[in-house]
Amino acid sequence: MKEKSKDKLIAGVLTLAIATCAISYSKDISCKRQANKFLYSTFLGIDYSVPNGIKYSDFDSDDIYYVHQNEKRTIISTNKYVEGYNCLGIYDSRSSSDAIFYITYSTDGGETINCKSISYDDIEKDNHRIFNYVSDLTIIDENSPESACAFIPDNSIKKLPDNIAKTKVY
């Protein structure tokens, strides 16, 4: 096949795929997500992904999550004690600026993985725009990469009862 014919065929298939998605774009979130993912990776060189861990969709604010901190970062966890961290208290969301979720992305073909913290403000702004290119978010916990750091203001941390040891650094 001639090179020009091959390029025209590829362009035609891509145009057809984009047109098909554009027709159902406003109706089908998975189509919207795939189209946005294609556009981000093709034209901006950004590949977003959702890491393993507790997901935003599974996050239940009625469960007990503990806020832990060391000299490098802050995390939340379902565990009362996390090796290498001080327990600051119980997570009790009081601020829309709480950033306890993250996604990963790469900009150089996947060789370097970066983390982006996501706050409740980020989720709410622009009508959940974050979900237009990822299907879920992951909670920043002890299993997250070291570059993922939560932001939890003091008013979102409920102090531990006095009978529970506040600090236990391993």
Side-chain angles (χ1 to χ4, degrees):
M1 184 178 265
K2 290 183 179 178
E3 195 64 37
K4 282 187 177 183
S5 297
K6 190 176 176 183
D7 289 344
K8 283 184 179 181
L9 179 64
I10 291 171
V13 169
L14 284 175
T15 303
L16 182 61
I18 290 171
T20 302
C21 279
I23 291 168
S24 60
Y25 186 76
S26 63
K27 297 176 186 173
D28 184 4
I29 188 66
S30 64
C31 184
K32 183 186 285 190
R33 195 174 292 128
Q34 290 299 344
N36 285 338
K37 201 169 188 172
F38 170 76
L39 293 172
Y40 272 91
S41 65
T42 303
F43 297 110
L44 300 176
I46 302 172
D47 291 314
Y48 289 99
S49 61
V50 180
N52 292 330
I54 300 171
K55 303 293 183 226
Y56 170 77
S57 57
D58 298 328
F59 182 71
D60 184 357
S61 59
D62 291 334
D63 290 347
I64 296 175
Y65 293 90
Y66 297 92
V67 179
H68 299 279
Q69 188 175 50
N70 65 16
E71 56 280 342
K72 295 181 182 176
R73 68 185 189 143
T74 303
I75 61 170
I76 70 168
S77 177
T78 55
N79 298 315
K80 221 181 266 189
Y81 302 108
V82 176
E83 186 174 339
Y85 288 85
N86 292 325
C87 183
L88 302 178
I90 297 171
Y91 178 67
D92 185 28
S93 180
R94 299 280 181 218
S95 173
S96 62
S97 66
D98 293 358
I100 63 168
F101 307 104
Y102 78 107
I103 57 174
T104 57
Y105 67 96
S106 65
T107 55
D108 57 3
E111 291 180 28
T112 304
I113 303 297
N114 303 294
C115 295
K116 176 179 177 159
S117 296
I118 309 292
S119 69
Y120 288 112
D121 283 337
D122 294 329
I123 295 169
E124 293 300 322
K125 84 173 146 186
D126 296 332
N127 200 18
H128 302 291
R129 194 179 100 218
I130 190 86
F131 295 115
N132 286 338
Y133 54 93
V134 293
S135 59
D136 213 338
L137 307 171
T138 305
I139 290 181
I140 300 170
D141 64 7
E142 63 271 23
N143 300 312
S144 303
E146 289 293 320
S147 57
C149 183
F151 171 75
I152 304 167
D154 289 341
N155 64 341
S156 290
I157 302 172
K158 185 175 157 184
K159 300 302 174 198
L160 290 171
D162 290 336
N163 61 347
I164 296 177
K166 185 175 178 181
T167 303
K168 184 173 184 178
V169 178
Y170 294 86

